[in-house]
Structures are given as structure tokens and as C-alpha cells.
Amino acid sequence: MASFYTIRFDGEKVSMLDQRLLPEQEIYYSYTDYKEVATAIKEMIIRGAPAIGIAAAFGIALGAKNIETLDKEEFKTKFDEILDEFAKTRPTAVNLFWAINRMKRTFYESPCLSLNEIKDELVLKAKRIYEEDVLTCKKIGENGEALIKDGYSILTHCNAGALATSEFGTALSVIRAAHKKGKKINVYADETRPYLQGARLTAWELNKDGIPVTVICDNMAGYLMSQRKVDFIVVGADRIAANGDTANKIGTYSLAVLAKYHNIPFYIAAPLSTFDFNIQSGVDIPIEERPATEITHFAGKRLVPEGVNVYNPSFDVTPAELITGIITEKGVVKPAEVKRLKPV
Ligand code: MRU
């Protein structure tokens, strides 16, 4: 059990840790209005693909609960507005749309229930999405742990940890499971410019758990690999296409190219909710562009001269051929085998 929590829902309010303030401050907010939850996703108070999905599910249940009408048609109109609001928050992590669709189906597949019963069902479904994610992340850790040998130095990028999920994480669940088994490991956390999820979040949560972590700047990874200082790379994912191409935090693709050159195993850890079987290849994955200020400014201080152009794509796509394997709750698969995971 971690010494913090990422997100909670008690049926009346959604509470979450403000990840923008880490590692300096641990501040939790409680929201009773679904719009605040949608804003929290947009503004990255909560982030990471599975956590975004969970937050949306909680927010949708909260919003539905607060709809004040006894008329089913009016309820449906307001419910659809809530779904739309969440769909507009962040475009790349498919877990968001997976969660929205599950919540939507709960409503549309319950025509015989009263509105109060539907509201209860939506709260239950949202809580189930959270609980399933806990088990899924745990299983990803167990399935990936065997790949980690005693003494390994493991490189990770961004934050695919407890802060990005319900608990445990995906890539960090593999690392946690290896540590728990008593394997002596060292983690290199890329700082992950421009938002610094690695330096601020991965380092924070691993350090809290007593797992040895060393932060490096993103541009140091290649040097470390050339020095044989990295044995294994594991990162998370925001969307995996049917052919295994994988979108993850900007900089992941460069790591995969470097790993190929240096013959270092490069693994993705992700739940099935991150797979998008409707998208055939990475070309069609929507890539979020974030505000220029993430690059031009740091802690309120200008880093880039005024008037200079800035480009800030938040994710990149790693082609399947650069990925050694994908660690899921169903086991470890080769990218070419991804289609086998498609639910029937
Ligand atoms: O922009 P973010 O912080 O939401 O991006 C997060 C990542 O890219 C993670 O690696 C990914 O969502 C996997 S989280 C288990």
C-alpha cells in the first residue's frame, strides 16, 4: 500500500493529489462538481493514461448523480453533455475514451432501470473501473518481474507509476515487483522535459518506496547506454495500435532507437485498456500538442526569448519493430501478437 493516494471517490466527491505541485507539496483537492474533475484532467492535476480514465469515470458518475431531473430524455441530454466534456480533455490516452465508453454503455444498456438506479449503477461502475485497475497493475508487475535480473539497472521515462494509475503503476509496477522479490536494482529516471514527470513524479514515488533511483537529463540516456550502464528499459503507454505501434511520452521513440543500436531490451508495460484495436498503426494516433509556455517558461521564469517559435508535441510513436515486448495483465506479448489480445 503506497503512503499516498492518487485518486479516490466516495460516491459524493472525487479527491485527488495535485501532481503539478510535487515533489514540493502534497496537496489533495476534493471536487463535488464534474466540471472541476474535467478541468483537473485538462490541467494535469492528474495525468497518466489509466489515471485519466479513472478520473473521467469518477467524474461522469459524479456528474450523473447531480443531474436534477425526473425526465429520462432530459437526463440523457445532460448525461451526453458530461461525456462530451470529458472527451475533450486530453486526446492521446485511449484509456480516457475506453472509460467514457464503459460509463456510456452502463447508461444505455439499462433501459429498464429508474434514474436513481442508473445513478447508483454508474457510481458502482466507476468504482469497479478503479478496482479493476488495481488488480491489473498488480498483475502487470507480476508478469514483468521475471524479465528483471538481480543487479539490473533499469531506465524508465516519464511517470508510469502509482501516480499515473490507481496504485502500483504499469512500468513502475514491474520495478516494484522486482524490488519486492529482493532483486537489487537501480532505476534511472529520465527527467522528461518539458513537464518533468520523471524528475518530479517517478523519483518522488520510487524514493518514497525506498527503491534506488537516479535522475538523469533526457539527453544523457544515450551516453549511459554506450557505457553499458543500462540493462533494461521499461516505459508505459498512452495508446497501442493494432500493429503494436505505441504512443507514449515525447522522448520514448528516441530511447527505443538508442536501445536498438545498443542492443538493450525495450519493453512497454500497459493494461488492455491502453490498446486501440480500431487504429491499425501509429500513424492514426492523435498526438496532443501542449501550450508553448511549458517550454518557454520554468517556475515562472522565461527560458526562451520572446517571439521565438516553440513546438510542443506531448507524445511520440514508437514503431512496433523497436519494441521487444509488451507487458500486460494477460502476459508478455510480442508487438506482432497484439491482435491476439483483442477482446472477442
Ligand atoms: O502527459 P502525461 O503525464 O499524462 O503522460 C503520461 C505518459 O506518457 C505515461 O507514460 C503513460 O500515460 C502511461 S501511465 C501508466
Side-chain angles (χ1 to χ4, degrees), residues 142-203:
E142 288 163 10
N143 290 341
E145 177 274 320
L147 299 166
I148 311 283
K149 295 204 178 103
D150 194 28
Y152 261 14
S153 279
I154 305 160
L155 176 65
T156 190
H157 190 66
C158 191
N159 171 265
L163 288 167
T165 60
S166 52
E167 266 188 56
F168 307 114
T170 56
L172 295 197
S173 184
V174 174
I175 287 168
R176 284 194 162 91
H179 178 76
K180 201 169 164 207
K181 266 261 163 102
K183 294 178 185 173
K184 290 212 167 15
I185 51 170
N186 172 54
V187 179
Y188 286 112
D190 269 351
E191 68 173 351
T192 318
R193 274 283 286 159
Y195 210 73
L196 304 175
Q197 288 95 330
R200 297 189 302 107
L201 309 178
T202 295

Side-chain angles (χ1 to χ4, degrees), residues 44 47-50 90 158-160 164 170 197 236-238 248-249 315:
M44 290 176 73
R47 29 65 51 201
R90 294 195 69 194
C158 191
N159 171 265
T170 56
Q197 288 95 330
D238 286 83
N248 190 48
K249 182 51 57 195
F315 300 92

Side-chain angles (χ1 to χ4, degrees), residues 19 35 46 53 94 102 112 182 184 194 206 208 212 269 275:
Q19 300 192 25
K35 288 196 178 191
I46 190 160
V94 77
R102 279 190 75 177
C112 302
K184 290 212 167 15
L206 290 181
K208 250 184 187 300
F275 289 73

Side-chain angles (χ1 to χ4, degrees), residues 106-135:
T106 304
F107 171 68
Y108 281 91
E109 288 169 5
S110 316
C112 302
L113 298 185
S114 70
L115 283 179
N116 277 338
E117 286 167 335
I118 286 174
K119 289 178 181 182
D120 289 345
E121 277 300 304
L122 287 166
V123 170
L124 281 178
K125 180 56 66 70
K127 288 183 174 173
R128 196 169 312 139
I129 286 174
Y130 177 94
E131 281 149 20
E132 283 173 12
D133 190 70
V134 175
L135 298 177

Side-chain angles (χ1 to χ4, degrees), residues 7 10 22 27 42 61 68 115 147 151 169 195 218 232 238 244 254 275 287 289 300 310 319 321:
I7 184 162
D10 65 4
L22 293 172
I27 309 270
K42 220 181 287 176
E68 282 177 9
L115 283 179
L147 299 166
Y195 210 73
D218 301 342
F232 189 89
D238 286 83
S254 325
F275 289 73
I287 299 294
E289 226 181 286
V310 162
E321 67 197 82

